[in-house]
Amino acid sequence: MLRRVALMGLVLFLVGCGGSGKRSATGSVPVKTIAVPSRTVTYSSAASAMEPTIHCARPGTGCQGTANDGLVTKEPATGLQRADIVVFRTPPLAAVKCGAGGKFVKRIIGLPGDVWEERNGYVYIDGKKLDEPYVQAERRDAQTLTLADIPPLRTMKQIPQDMYLVMGDNRSSSCDSRVWGLVPRANIIGKVVQILRQSNG
């Protein structure tokens, strides 16, 4: 699902939310011209699971971009937090359930120790509704699930240590942890630090 492209030294063009570039409480990715951390790899995503945060190219189903966005990723990933966008190796079940495996990009929603659930398309952590400004209303689904409903079925009440629950921002079109289970910490390759979008001008 993700393609590795060239190493980057300096980001010259970034698009998204403006501002100071500091991480906000919602975990948005900084989007301004800055020096890239010393060890980075750039990937490209051709799937719509993270729309509209990360664009894939039309005429792909659900895609809004003129080209696939580039994802500058710091490797290895450190200091993982809720709402971080990460590149990871999928568990084997993803290939069975999604028809594709390998490297995916999703957003961390559930952390070790969390009690996660989805009620009518909205996420709750430890019983409290999660504020998710990165999910557009028309891209939500209407599912109601608990940790007991995700693989391996009926085995978890809270997220185990060194495991993460990841979801796409395009909830109605994302094959994610709800379908194939949690992501082990060892499978997380890197954290997205910038999104590169092709200029239309």
Side-chain angles (χ1 to χ4, degrees):
M1 301 297 286
L2 286 180
R3 187 180 70 224
R4 183 172 173 164
V5 292
L7 290 173
M8 303 290 289
L10 182 66
V11 175
L12 299 176
F13 181 71
L14 302 170
V15 190
C17 302
S20 67
K22 294 181 180 178
R23 180 173 298 282
S24 72
T26 62
S28 62
V29 175
V31 283
K32 73 172 189 176
T33 302
I34 61 171
V36 177
S38 59
R39 185 178 174 194
T40 63
V41 177
T42 303
Y43 294 89
S44 169
S45 177
S48 66
M50 285 296 292
E51 286 280 6
T53 307
I54 299 170
H55 286 349
C56 55
R58 295 185 296 268
T61 303
C63 295
Q64 293 185 342
T66 56
N68 295 335
D69 284 351
L71 308 174
V72 180
T73 306
K74 182 179 179 184
E75 299 180 6
T78 57
L80 295 175
Q81 300 177 37
R82 193 182 331 279
D84 283 345
I85 298 173
V86 292
V87 172
F88 59 94
R89 291 181 296 276
T90 57
L93 191 57
V96 176
K97 296 286 190 178
C98 306
K103 294 176 183 173
F104 278 17
V105 59
K106 306 283 183 190
R107 192 182 293 274
I108 292 176
I109 300 299
L111 300 171
D114 283 348
V115 176
W116 169 93
E117 59 184 315
E118 186 179 17
R119 302 179 199 164
N120 298 315
Y122 290 88
V123 170
Y124 291 76
I125 300 293
D126 298 331
K128 296 181 180 178
K129 188 176 182 181
L130 187 62
D131 181 27
E132 297 188 287
Y134 40 80
V135 180
Q136 293 182 345
E138 65 273 16
R139 293 182 181 269
R140 287 195 181 275
D141 57 35
Q143 293 190 87
T144 296
L145 304 166
T146 69
L147 285 170
D149 298 312
I150 69 171
L153 298 176
R154 295 177 290 283
T155 60
M156 292 177 287
K157 292 186 177 178
Q158 68 182 73
I159 298 174
Q161 287 302 306
D162 296 320
M163 300 291 279
Y164 294 83
L165 188 143
V166 299
M167 299 171 74
D169 290 356
N170 189 7
R171 295 288 160 80
S172 59
S173 297
S174 178
C175 191
D176 52 36
S177 283
R178 298 169 294 173
V179 176
W180 39 254
L182 304 178
V183 177
R185 176 65 182 84
N187 283 33
I188 298 177
I189 298 167
K191 180 162 53 175
V192 175
V193 292
Q194 283 117 33
I195 298 168
L196 307 178
R197 187 159 298 159
Q198 182 173 298
S199 172
N200 291 324

